[in-house]
């Protein structure tokens, strides 16, 4: 970060020589210098090149107008204005808060000025670098000799082995030098929350609008379990979104809790909807408590916000309506909601405290922000017992945390601070909107069919689109007013074959075909539904990646319309079973899978499968204890009716649990099994299209096997 932009004076002779001298002095200081042609070029340069660490300009020619425009891009960037004895310095108190310094045009002063610019540059870098990251950088630069863990000793051990040197060269020296022991006292402690770690947590909390934040180095799966272990004592009842991530099922298996499920909606496309407003009312919860054995009034609630497909709640309604002491918003997929006005009121940390309640929010800092994998945050607003919470925190946190992951969490937060952070999120939203408009344009211009996009007809300025009752585009027939909103950066592409209302067309293109085609061309889809594909337009998506996706979609249409052979269009799929696909063409494959889906009446089956929950015979905790004792056996998935499932059964797609540990599919909930069997059928008929079902094992004969309780009388094992 050593680039200085110089906006030199134009055609003013007595100012030229001091700038030439300064140029040479700055080169000696190690700076790289660039000369934009005009103010517009400068502003574009600053917007697209974050390595610029200062701007030198002539005050008489550009003055405060340029300063204000630069400040809108980066209020921390040092500005160096050159003046003469006749320059007017009409600067207000507010404007003096800018990082603005004045120098006079003078000969033989360049070395002193360059030294000052180096000093201010170092201060700028120090200002934008968060506390723990700064301490880690300093420690690595000091190069101390340690006689503690880790054993590779800043990478030295790797350089003593041929294969180790390959590893060292790939990851680089600083990565390994930053992998240090918790014994390094100057960095404080992640577990005790002291020193730079404490400063980092306070820094993160201020950035994300929380009262307290905790950094977690094993993903939001761990963050969810930490919150649950603290908020719900053994034997208590908790409200849990049936759309929950499997980490919350694991919490229920670990802790002796009675779950009461909040049942969300689906639309016919299989897109995950939210929990209806009625489910949050006191009357609805009282009825669920009365119908659930051993249940008491819930002490805690967990809501998934946003859903996998990008639907956000009006969280204020939930906070005010849910009659529980604490509410946990699992916001793994939306760590950016505090940084753009379109997300106001749609996150856990939105607004002020909720009287009498503690609000938790967990976020995957790595999913859509710029942190390393496994980076996560817990935010808290409200009164809680810090010592007891920290016991739950330490219960799930290693005593040897990876400091690079911790620093990446803090750096991801630092990237979002101030005007640069707002611009970063805004650019992400604008890029997603531009892509949406391009798909719409191509659809209108295309001969025949083209991909559609799941959104309102009119895509105007940046906003989260409401899922309003009566609107046809979203397919949710019983939507509530001012309850759920679609996040514009979660882009769902629709393939031909099924309407938003669940009407099956005579012909169709299952989305799995498109996903395989894109994957073979280097474009990876986040989630594939029956006739929809989800793409995440995170801050790391640029125009090149967006154009690659658009090109991939148009290439698929061209290849499909030419009816190419599977062998030529999907070579990796062909390799799965060359004999089966030898003469098959793409349209024949698409129609074959589409016909299977039609025969099973997928829209109806999917809605029924998620509308009727299996019967809970044991809590997940009780069932896991039986599994540990060996009281389980393996059966074919087709034999699930009347048997208690030992594991969570989760088909992907759609990626949420259908059966929980301890639940039994009855005749009333048989559509759950029918849906699973339908997913299995596609793989049986078409090699390469086997469904990934978590909790089921696909054996060599193509059968899906699941584990169930040995006895047919689960009440024997309740105690």
């Amino acid at each position: 970060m050593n680039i200085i932009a110089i906006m030199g004076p134009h055609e003013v002779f007595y100012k030229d020589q001091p700038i030439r001298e300064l140029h040479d002095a700055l080169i000696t200081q190690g700076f790289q210098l660039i000369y934009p042609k005009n103010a517009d070029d400068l502003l574009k340069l600053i917007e697209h090149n974050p390595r610029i660490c200062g701007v030198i300009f002539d005050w008489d020619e550009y003055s405060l107008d340029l300063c204000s425009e630069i400040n809108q891009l980066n209020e921390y960037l040092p500005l160096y204005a050159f003046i003469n004895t006749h320059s007017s310095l009409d600067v207000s108190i507010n404007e003096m808060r800018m990082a603005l310094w004045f120098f006079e045009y003078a000969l033989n002063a360049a070395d002193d000025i360059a030294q000052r610019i180096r000093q201010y540059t170092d201060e700028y870098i120090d200002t934008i670098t968060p506390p723990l990251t700064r301490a880690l950088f300093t420690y690595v630069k000091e190069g101390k000799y340690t006689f503690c863990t880790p054993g590779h000793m800043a990478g030295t051990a790797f350089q003593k082995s041929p294969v180790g040197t390959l590893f060292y060269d790939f990851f680089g020296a600083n990565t390994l030098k930053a992998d240090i022991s918790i014994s390094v006292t100057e960095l404080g402690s992640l577990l005790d929350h002291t020193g730079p770690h404490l400063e980092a947590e306070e820094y993160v909390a201020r950035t994300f609008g929380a009262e307290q934040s905790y950094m977690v180095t094993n993903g939001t799966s761990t963050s969810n379990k930490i919150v649950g272990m603290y908020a719900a004592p053994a034997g208590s009842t908790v409200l849990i979104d049936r759309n929950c991530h499997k980490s919350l099922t694991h919490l229920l298996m670990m802790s002796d809790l009675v779950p009461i499920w909040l049942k969300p909606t689906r639309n016919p496309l299989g897109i995950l909807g939210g929990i209806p407003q009625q489910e949050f009312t006191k009357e609805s919860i009282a009825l669920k408590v009365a119908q659930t054995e051993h249940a008491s009034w819930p002490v805690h609630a967990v809501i998934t916000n946003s859903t996998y497909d990008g639907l956000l709640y009006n969280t204020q309604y939930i906070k005010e309506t849910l009659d529980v002491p604490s509410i946990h918003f699992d916001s793994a997929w939306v760590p950016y909601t505090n940084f753009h006005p379109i997300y106001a009121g749609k996150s856990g940390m939105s607004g002020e405290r909720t009287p009498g309640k503690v609000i938790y929010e967990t976020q995957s800092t790595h999913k859509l922000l710029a942190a390393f994998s496994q980076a996560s945050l817990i935010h808290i607003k409200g009164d809680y017992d810090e010592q007891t919470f920290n016991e739950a925190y330490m219960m799930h946190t290693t005593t040897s945390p990876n400091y690079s992951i911790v620093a990446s969490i803090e750096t991801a937060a630092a990237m979002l601070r101030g005007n640069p952070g707002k611009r970063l999120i805004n650019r992400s939203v604008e890029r997603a909107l531009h892509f949406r408009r391009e798909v719409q344009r191509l659809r209108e211009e295309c001969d025949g069919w083209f991909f559609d996009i799941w959104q309102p007809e009119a895509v105007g300025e940046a906003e989260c689109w409401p899922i309003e009752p009566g609107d046809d585009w979203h397919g949710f027939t019983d939507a509530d007013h001012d309850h759920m909103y679609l996040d514009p950066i979660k882009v769902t592409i629709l393939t031909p074959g099924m309407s938003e209302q669940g009407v099956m067309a005579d012909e169709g293109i299952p989305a799995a075909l498109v996903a395989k085609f894109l994957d073979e061309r280097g474009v990876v889809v986040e989630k594939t539904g029956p006739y929809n594909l989800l793409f995440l337009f995170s801050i790391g998506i640029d125009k090149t990646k967006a154009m690659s996706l658009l090109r991939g979609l148009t290439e698929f249409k061209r290849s499909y319309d030419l009816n190419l052979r599977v062998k030529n269009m999907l070579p990796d799929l062909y390799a799965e079973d060359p004999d089966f696909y030898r003469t098959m063409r793409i349209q024949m494959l698409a129609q074959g899978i589409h016909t299977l889906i039609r025969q099973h009446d997928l829209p109806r089956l999917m809605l029924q499968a998620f509308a009727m929950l299996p019967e809970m015979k044991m809590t997940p905790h009780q069932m896991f204890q039986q599994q540990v004792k060996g009281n389980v056996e393996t059966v074919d998935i087709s034999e699930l009716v009347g048997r208690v499932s030992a594991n969570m059964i989760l088909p992907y797609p759609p990626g949420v649990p259908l059966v929980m540990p301890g639940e039994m599919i009855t005749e009333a909930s048989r559509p759950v099994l029918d849906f699973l069997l339908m997913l299995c059928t596609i793989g049986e008929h078409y090699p390469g299209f086997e469904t990934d079902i978590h909790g089921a094992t696909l054996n060599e004969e193509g059968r899906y096997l699941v584990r169930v309780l040995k006895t047919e009388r689960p009440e024997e094992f309740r105690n």
Side-chain angles (χ1 to χ4, degrees), residues 208-220:
F208 284 86
E211 293 176 3
Q212 180 68 51
S213 294
Y214 291 83
M215 299 183 292
V216 180
T217 58
N218 198 23
T220 302

Side-chain angles (χ1 to χ4, degrees), residues 630-680:
N631 293 325
V632 293
E633 60 184 341
T634 301
V635 300
D636 190 281
I637 196 169
S638 62
E639 301 171 21
L640 256 181
V641 173
R643 303 302 301 268
V644 178
S645 178
N647 293 319
M648 167 178 53
I649 299 177
L650 182 153
Y652 183 88
V656 293
L658 268 176
V659 184
M660 291 289 182
E663 288 184 341
M664 183 174 76
I665 296 177
T666 62
E667 285 301 327
S669 55
R670 192 179 184 94
V672 173
L673 179 58
D674 292 339
F675 179 63
L676 288 169
L677 293 176
M678 186 275 293
L679 296 177
C680 299

